[in-house]
C-alpha cells in the first residue's frame, strides 16, 4: 500500500463501509453486489487482454465472446433479478459498452412494455434465449431527437394483412443503433404508420433483418456497420435500409395502439405511452451518470493523493497535489456532484417503477411529469458529468492523457449520452414545455403536484420577473433548508421569466413556434434551474435518513458544498432575483474554500466508499494500493509496439532513407 493512501485512510472520520451501504440502499444489497462481482472476477472465462492494446475488430470480437459467455453464466448462476443481471453485465464488461447492450437494454424492455401478451408469448422467450437478437432502430441519418421527422414508412396492406416497411430517402436510413451492424437479426423499427390512406404517426414494428441460420441479410435489407467513432469500439453501431420489406400485421407492437385486420386504426389512450422505453433509458442514464463521474473522481482523487509536485514552501518536500486548494476546487465539487447524482439516480429508478405501476393500473396522471423530469435530468446531469470527467482527466496532469489512466475510456464512453436518447438541448426544451404548461395551469387557478408544486405559490405571492426582490433572502448560508428554498425560488423566477418572454414574443409576432424559438435560451435556463433544484432537494432530503453522526457530518459538508458552489457559479440568477445579496455571495465564496479544507481529510475515503474494484476502474492511476508508477511502467511494456525491439517500418522506410543520405 502506498504510504500516502494508507495515511489518508487512517485519518478518515467515518467508516466507508457504512457509506457504501447507503449508496447501495442496504448492507444486504452491498453483500449481494460484491458476491456477483466475485463470480465474474474469479471466472477464468472473463480474463482477457487489456482492450487498450486491441484493434477495433478484435475489441468487437472479444466483446461478443464475453457477451455470449455472460448470458450462459447468468443462466448457470440462476441470476434473474434485472438489477443483478445489470451488475453481472457491468462487471463482465467493466463498464464498457457491448454488442448486446440494446438487445438487453431496449429490445427486451420494449417487448415487455409495448407488446401484447400474445406478442410476448411469440417473441419474448426467443429473444431471452438469444434465438432472436434485437436492436432498437429509431434514429435515422437525417433525424434523431425530432421523432416526428422520422421518414421510414410502414404502410398497411389489408389484402395481405401485412405492413410494408420502406426507407424512401437516403436520410431515412436508420443510423447509429448499437448491435445493428453485425450482431442483431431483428430490430424494433420506429416508422410512420400509414393505413387506409392516412398517416397515424410513429409506431414500433418488429422487423427480421437477417436469416436466423446463416445470419445473412434478408432480401431487401441493406445493413452494416457505420465505421469508427469517437469511442464505442466494442459496438457495431449500424445502418439499415429497408426496400419494401413485408412483415405480418402481428409484428406491429400493439399493446396501446392497434391496426385491425381491415386497416382500422385504434389510437392509444395517451401518445406518451409509446415512449415508455425512452423514458426508462433516460431514467437509467441518470444513474449511469453518477457511476461514470464517481469513477473519474475516484481516479483523480486517489492519484492526487499519491502524486507529489512542485513546492508549496521553498526547500520543503514536494506536497501531495491534493493539498493544493486549486486541486481541491477542481475535484471536490465534482465529488459532491457524484454523490448527489447517486441519490438522484436511485430516486429516478424508484419513481419510474412507481409511476409505471400506476400506469399499468390505468392511472396516467404522473406520466407527463415523469417524461419531463427524465428528459431534463438526463440532460442536466450528463452535461455536468461529461465536463466533469474531462476536468478529472486534466487534474491528473499529463498522465491523464494516457489510456492507462482509464479516464479517456470513461470520457469517450460517456460523452455520447449528451446526444443519444434525446439531444440535451431538445430534452431541456421538452422539460421547459412542461414547466410553462404547469405555470399556465397555476395561473388559471389549477394547482400542480410533484416537483413543480412550488409553482402553486406564484399567484398568491405575485412573483414577477422584475419584482422578486421583495422575497426573503437566505438568512444563514450554512442552512441547507434555506438554500434549497433559494434554489426553488430561483427556479420559479426563471420559469416565470421564460413564460412571460414567450408570451411577449407571441404578442409581438402572433406565431407560437417563432415565439418559442426566440425564447428558447430563457427556456433552457429555466429547465436547468428546475433540475438543479430537484438535485439539491433530493440530496438534502437524503441526509435526513442518515443517523450515523460522522457520516451525516461528512455528507452534510458535501451537500453544502454542492449547494454553495452551484450558487457561486450562477450568482447572476440569485442576485437578479433578489434572493441573495452581494455580501452573502462573498460569504458563500469564502465558505466554499473553507469546505474544501474540511472535506480534504476524508476525500480519499469518500471515493473508497464508491466501492470500485481495480478491475472496474481499469486505471493505473486510480489503483486502490496507490502503486502507480511501477504499474504504469509494466503497463507500457505491454504495448504491441514493444513486441519487437526494432519495428518493421525501420527496415522498410528509415534504413533505405539513411543509406541514400
Amino acid at each position: 500500500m502506498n504510504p500516502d493512501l494508507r495515511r489518508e485512510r487512517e485519518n478518515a472520520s467515518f467508516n466507508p463501509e457504512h457509506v457504501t451501504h447507503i449508496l447501495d440502499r442496504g448492507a444486504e444489497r452491498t453483500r449481494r453486489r460484491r458476491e456477483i462481482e466475485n463470480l465474474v472476477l474469479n471466472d477464468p472465462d472473463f480474463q482477457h487482454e487489456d482492450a487498450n492494446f486491441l484493434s477495433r475488430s478484435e475489441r468487437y470480437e472479444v466483446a461478443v465472446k464475453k457477451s455470449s459467455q455472460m448470458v450462459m453464466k447468468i443462466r448457470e448462476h440462476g441470476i434473474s433479478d434485472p438489477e443483478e443481471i445489470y451488475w453481472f453485465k457491468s462487471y463482465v464488461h467493466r463498464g464498457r459498452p457491448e454488442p448486446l447492450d440494446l438487445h438487453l437494454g431496449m429490445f427486451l424492455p420494449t417487448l415487455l412494455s409495448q407488446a401484447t401478451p400474445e406478442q410476448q408469448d411469440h417473441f419474448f422467450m426467443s429473444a431471452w434465449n438469444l434465438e432472436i437478437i434485437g436492436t432498437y432502430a429509431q434514429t435515422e441519418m437525417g433525424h434523431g431527437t425530432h421523432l416526428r421527422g422520422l421518414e421510414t414508412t410502414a404502410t398497411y396492406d389489408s389484402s395481405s394483412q401485412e405492413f410494408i416497411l420502406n426507407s424512401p430517402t437516403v436520410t431515412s436510413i436508420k443510423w447509429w443503433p448499437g448491435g445493428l451492424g453485425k450482431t442483431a437479426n431483428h430490430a424494433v423499427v420506429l416508422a410512420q404508420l400509414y393505413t387506409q390512406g392516412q398517416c397515424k404517426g410513429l409506431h414500433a414494428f418488429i422487423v427480421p433483418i437477417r436469416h436466423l441460420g446463416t445470419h445473412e441479410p434478408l432480401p431487401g435489407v441493406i445493413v452494416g456497420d457505420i465505421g469508427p467513432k469517437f469511442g464505442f469500439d466494442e459496438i457495431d453501431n449500424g445502418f439499415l435500409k429497408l426496400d419494401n420489406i413485408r412483415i405480418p400485421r402481428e409484428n406491429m407492437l400493439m399493446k396501446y395502439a392497434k391496426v385491425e385486420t381491415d386497416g382500422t386504426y385504434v389510437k392509444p389512450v395517451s401518445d406518451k405511452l409509446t415512449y415508455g422505453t425512452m423514458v426508462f433509458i433516460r431514467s437509467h442514464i441518470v444513474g449511469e451518470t453518477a457511476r461514470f463521474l464517481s469513477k473519474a473522481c475516484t481516479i483523480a482523487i486517489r492519484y492526487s493523493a499519491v502524486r507529489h509536485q512542485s513546492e508549496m514552501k521553498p526547500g520543503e518536500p514536494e506536497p501531495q497535489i491534493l493539498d493544493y486548494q486549486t486541486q481541491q476546487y477542481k475535484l471536490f465539487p465534482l465529488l459532491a456532484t457524484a454523490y448527489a447524482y447517486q441519490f438522484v439516480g436511485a430516486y429516478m429508478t424508484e419513481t419510474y417503477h412507481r409511476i409505471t405501476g400506476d400506469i399499468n393500473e390505468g392511472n396516467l396522471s404522473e406520466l407527463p411529469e415523469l417524461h419531463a423530469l427524465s428528459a431534463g435530468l438526463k440532460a442536466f446531469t450528463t452535461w455536468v458529468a461529461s465536463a466533469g470527467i474531462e476536468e478529472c482527466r486534466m487534474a491528473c496532469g499529463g498522465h491523464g492523457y494516457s489510456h492507462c489512466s482509464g479516464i479517456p475510456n470513461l470520457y469517450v464512453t460517456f460523452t455520447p449520452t449528451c446526444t443519444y436518447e434525446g439531444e440535451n438541448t431538445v430534452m431541456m426544451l421538452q422539460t421547459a414545455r412542461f414547466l410553462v404548461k404547469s405555470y399556465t395551469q397555476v395561473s388559471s387557478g389549477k394547482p400542480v403536484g410533484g416537483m413543480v408544486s412550488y409553482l402553486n405559490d406564484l399567484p398568491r405571492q405575485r412573483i414577477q420577473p422584475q419584482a422578486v426582490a421583495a422575497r426573503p433572502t437566505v438568512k444563514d448560508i450554512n442552512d441547507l433548508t434555506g438554500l434549497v428554498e433559494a434554489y426553488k425560488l430561483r427556479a420559479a423566477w426563471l420559469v416565470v421569466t421564460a413564460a412571460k418572454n414567450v408570451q411577449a414574443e407571441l404578442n409581438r409576432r402572433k406565431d407560437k413556434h417563432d415565439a418559442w424559438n426566440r425564447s428558447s435560451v430563457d427556456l433552457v435556463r429555466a429547465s436547468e434551474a428546475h433540475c438543479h433544484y430537484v438535485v439539491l432537494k433530493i440530496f438534502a432530503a437524503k441526509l435526513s435518513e442518515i443517523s450515523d453522526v460522522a457520516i451525516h457530518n461528512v455528507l452534510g459538508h458535501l451537500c453544502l458544498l454542492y449547494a454553495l458552489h452551484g450558487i457561486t457559479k450562477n450568482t447572476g440568477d440569485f442576485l437578479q432575483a433578489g434572493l441573495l445579496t452581494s455580501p452573502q455571495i462573498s460569504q458563500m465564496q469564502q465558505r466554499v474554500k473553507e469546505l474544501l479544507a474540511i472535506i480534504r481529510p476524508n476525500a480519499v475515503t469518500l471515493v473508497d466508499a464508491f466501492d470500485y474494484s481495480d478491475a472496474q476502474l481499469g486505471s493505473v492511476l486510480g489503483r486502490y494500493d496507490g502503486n502507480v508508477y511501477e504499474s504504469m511502467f509494466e503497463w507500457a511494456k505491454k504495448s504491441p509496439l514493444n513486441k519487437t525491439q526494432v519495428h518493421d517500418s525501420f527496415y522498410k522506410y528509415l534504413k533505405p532513407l539513411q543509406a541514400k543520405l
Side-chain angles (χ1 to χ4, degrees):
M1 180 71 66
N2 177 283
D4 288 318
L5 284 185
R6 180 184 293 114
R7 185 174 61 254
E8 295 286 339
R9 290 167 178 140
E10 289 172 350
N11 292 335
S13 67
F14 68 97
N15 185 339
E17 183 76 2
H18 295 164
V19 177
T20 302
H21 296 164
I22 292 171
L23 296 174
D24 282 334
R25 305 196 300 282
E28 174 56 26
R29 286 168 57 84
T30 298
R31 184 203 66 77
R32 179 58 175 158
R33 177 179 56 76
R34 288 173 176 168
E35 181 180 29
I36 290 174
E37 181 178 15
N38 286 327
L39 287 176
V40 175
L41 294 180
N42 297 327
D43 192 327
D45 287 337
F46 295 128
Q47 309 306 311
H48 296 293
E49 185 178 348
D50 191 323
N52 290 303
F53 299 130
L54 301 178
S55 69
R56 181 174 177 236
S57 180
E58 290 170 331
R59 287 173 79 149
Y60 169 71
E61 183 174 354
V62 167
V64 171
K65 179 181 178 182
K66 290 168 73 174
S67 294
S68 301
Q69 292 169 329
M70 172 188 75
V71 171
M72 290 188 290
K73 301 285 183 177
I74 286 173
R75 293 171 183 167
E76 288 176 14
H77 294 305
I79 299 173
S80 57
D81 179 79
E83 190 163 31
E84 293 187 358
I85 290 173
Y86 169 80
W87 289 339
F88 195 95
K89 178 178 177 296
S90 65
Y91 295 140
V92 168
H93 292 280
R94 301 181 181 180
R96 297 176 188 265
E98 55 101 357
L100 293 183
D101 270 346
L102 264 71
H103 175 77
L104 297 171
M106 294 194 76
F107 188 79
L108 288 175
T110 298
L111 289 178
L112 288 173
S113 63
Q114 304 292 321
T116 65
E118 295 77 16
Q119 289 174 320
Q120 288 187 22
D121 289 343
H122 184 68
F123 290 110
F124 187 80
M125 286 313 299
S126 295
W128 181 252
N129 292 326
L130 292 184
E131 296 162 14
I132 290 176
I133 300 175
T135 186
Y136 192 86
Q138 174 175 293
T139 301
E140 297 173 356
M141 190 185 293
H143 287 91
T145 305
H146 180 54
L147 299 183
R148 285 176 302 202
L150 295 179
E151 300 175 85
T152 303
T153 60
T155 305
Y156 184 64
D157 180 357
S158 59
S159 64
S160 62
Q161 295 189 22
E162 293 175 317
F163 289 101
I164 305 169
L165 276 291
N166 192 45
S167 306
T169 64
V170 65
T171 50
S172 70
I173 297 171
K174 294 296 182 183
W175 201 269
W176 280 113
L180 177 61
K182 294 294 175 185
T183 309
N185 53 35
H186 281 67
V188 168
V189 174
L190 277 289
Q192 302 289 353
L193 167 63
Y194 285 84
T195 182
Q196 295 181 337
Q198 293 183 323
C199 180
K200 297 298 183 180
L202 207 61
H203 292 73
F205 303 83
I206 300 177
V207 182
I209 58 174
R210 287 184 169 97
H211 286 284
L212 294 185
T214 65
H215 208 61
E216 291 287 340
L218 291 168
V221 174
I222 301 174
V223 62
D225 180 82
I226 66 171
K229 307 164 293 285
F230 189 42
F232 272 55
D233 287 340
E234 297 86 354
I235 299 289
D236 53 324
N237 296 88
F239 59 78
L240 176 66
K241 187 176 186 300
L242 301 172
D243 185 11
N244 295 315
I245 302 300
R246 287 180 172 266
I247 60 172
R249 184 183 69 90
E250 292 76 16
N251 280 33
M252 173 183 162
L253 294 177
M254 296 196 198
K255 182 175 182 179
Y256 300 114
K258 296 178 175 64
V259 172
E260 305 287 5
T261 55
D262 64 353
T264 301
Y265 178 72
V266 181
K267 66 179 182 179
V269 176
S270 168
D271 292 338
K272 287 186 172 62
L273 288 171
T274 59
Y275 297 154
T277 303
M278 287 187 297
V279 173
F280 168 75
I281 295 299
R282 288 169 189 166
S283 299
H284 176 72
I285 286 173
V286 177
E288 284 293 276
T289 299
R291 282 180 275 276
F292 274 85
L293 183 57
S294 59
K295 285 182 179 181
C297 287
T298 299
I299 294 167
I301 288 175
R302 282 181 182 169
Y303 180 53
S304 296
V306 169
R307 181 186 176 201
H308 292 250
Q309 195 83 346
S310 302
E311 291 180 337
M312 196 175 291
K313 297 179 181 179
E316 291 191 359
E318 293 179 305
Q320 298 163 278
I321 63 169
L322 198 56
D323 287 336
Y324 289 104
Q325 188 183 71
T326 50
Q327 190 77 347
Q328 297 167 11
Y329 188 71
K330 292 174 187 175
L331 297 177
F332 292 175
L334 292 174
L335 175 62
T337 302
Y339 268 88
Y341 290 178
Q342 290 270 358
F343 301 134
V344 173
Y347 172 85
M348 284 304 297
T349 298
E350 292 165 2
T351 301
Y352 173 81
H353 288 304
R354 176 178 62 78
I355 294 178
T356 300
D358 292 343
I359 291 170
N360 291 335
E361 295 296 321
N363 179 6
L364 308 181
S365 61
E366 292 188 80
L367 182 57
E369 181 174 18
L370 175 62
H371 184 265
L373 192 60
S374 64
L377 285 175
K378 180 266 183 188
F380 180 77
T381 60
T382 56
W383 264 335
V384 172
S386 182
I389 293 167
E390 174 66 358
E391 182 80 359
C392 288
R393 184 192 67 78
M394 291 189 288
C396 291
H399 292 323
Y401 189 67
S402 170
H403 272 300
C404 80
S405 74
I407 299 182
N409 278 323
L410 286 176
Y411 183 76
V412 299
T413 300
F414 179 78
T415 196
T417 60
C418 294
T419 47
Y420 70 58
E421 293 310 313
E423 192 278 331
N424 277 0
T425 301
V426 179
M427 293 297 94
M428 281 299 191
L429 289 171
Q430 286 187 9
T431 302
R433 198 171 296 277
F434 175 76
L435 293 173
V436 171
K437 184 176 180 180
S438 298
Y439 168 74
T440 303
Q441 183 175 330
V442 167
S443 299
S444 66
K446 299 175 183 177
V448 293
M451 285 293 185
V452 292
S453 58
Y454 60 84
L455 295 175
N456 292 330
D457 295 334
L458 296 182
R460 178 172 53 82
Q461 296 170 347
R462 297 181 181 177
I463 293 180
Q464 300 293 330
Q466 296 82 15
V468 190
R471 295 291 301 157
T473 56
V474 172
K475 303 301 182 185
D476 179 0
I477 65 170
N478 294 296
D479 176 30
L480 275 173
T481 301
L483 293 172
V484 172
E485 180 74 7
Y487 271 80
K488 180 180 80 173
L489 292 173
R490 171 208 179 202
W493 176 71
L494 284 170
V495 170
V496 172
T497 299
K500 288 186 176 295
N501 285 348
V502 171
Q503 187 59 49
E505 292 290 343
L506 190 59
N507 294 341
R508 208 173 285 132
R509 292 178 175 81
K510 309 300 183 185
D511 182 276
K512 64 178 182 180
H513 304 293
D514 191 39
W516 186 265
N517 180 48
R518 289 176 178 271
S519 307
S520 56
V521 171
D522 302 316
L523 291 162
V524 169
R525 285 182 64 210
S527 292
E528 288 178 325
H530 173 72
C531 292
H532 210 164
Y533 158 67
V534 169
V535 172
L536 179 61
K537 177 182 172 69
I538 292 170
F539 194 173
K542 188 67 181 179
L543 294 176
S544 65
E545 302 174 14
I546 299 171
S547 57
D548 185 300
V549 175
I551 293 174
H552 190 281
N553 284 340
V554 72
L555 293 187
H557 288 137
L558 279 182
C559 188
L560 185 59
L561 177 62
Y562 180 81
L564 295 179
H565 183 263
I567 290 174
T568 63
K569 290 297 184 181
N570 298 277
T571 54
D573 291 347
F574 291 92
L575 288 172
Q576 195 174 357
L579 301 171
L580 295 169
T581 64
S582 183
Q584 283 181 311
I585 296 294
S586 297
Q587 292 171 16
M588 290 179 176
Q589 291 169 339
Q590 179 61 33
R591 184 56 175 155
V592 165
K593 291 183 286 186
E594 294 170 359
L595 286 168
L596 298 178
I598 292 171
I599 292 167
R600 166 65 185 89
N602 286 309
V604 168
T605 311
L606 280 166
V607 297
D608 286 350
F610 291 131
D611 202 32
Y612 293 120
S613 65
D614 286 347
Q616 283 180 274
L617 280 181
S619 171
V620 169
L621 301 188
R623 290 172 60 97
Y624 183 84
D625 63 14
N627 295 323
V628 170
Y629 300 114
E630 304 89 339
S631 302
M632 189 183 299
F633 188 36
E634 293 303 314
W635 184 87
K637 291 177 184 178
K638 298 175 184 177
S639 170
L641 287 177
N642 293 326
K643 288 184 177 179
T644 60
Q645 287 297 323
V646 182
H647 195 267
D648 287 347
S649 61
F650 173 78
Y651 300 108
K652 291 179 180 179
Y653 309 112
L654 295 179
K655 189 172 183 179
L657 178 64
Q658 292 169 351
K660 291 178 182 178
L661 294 176

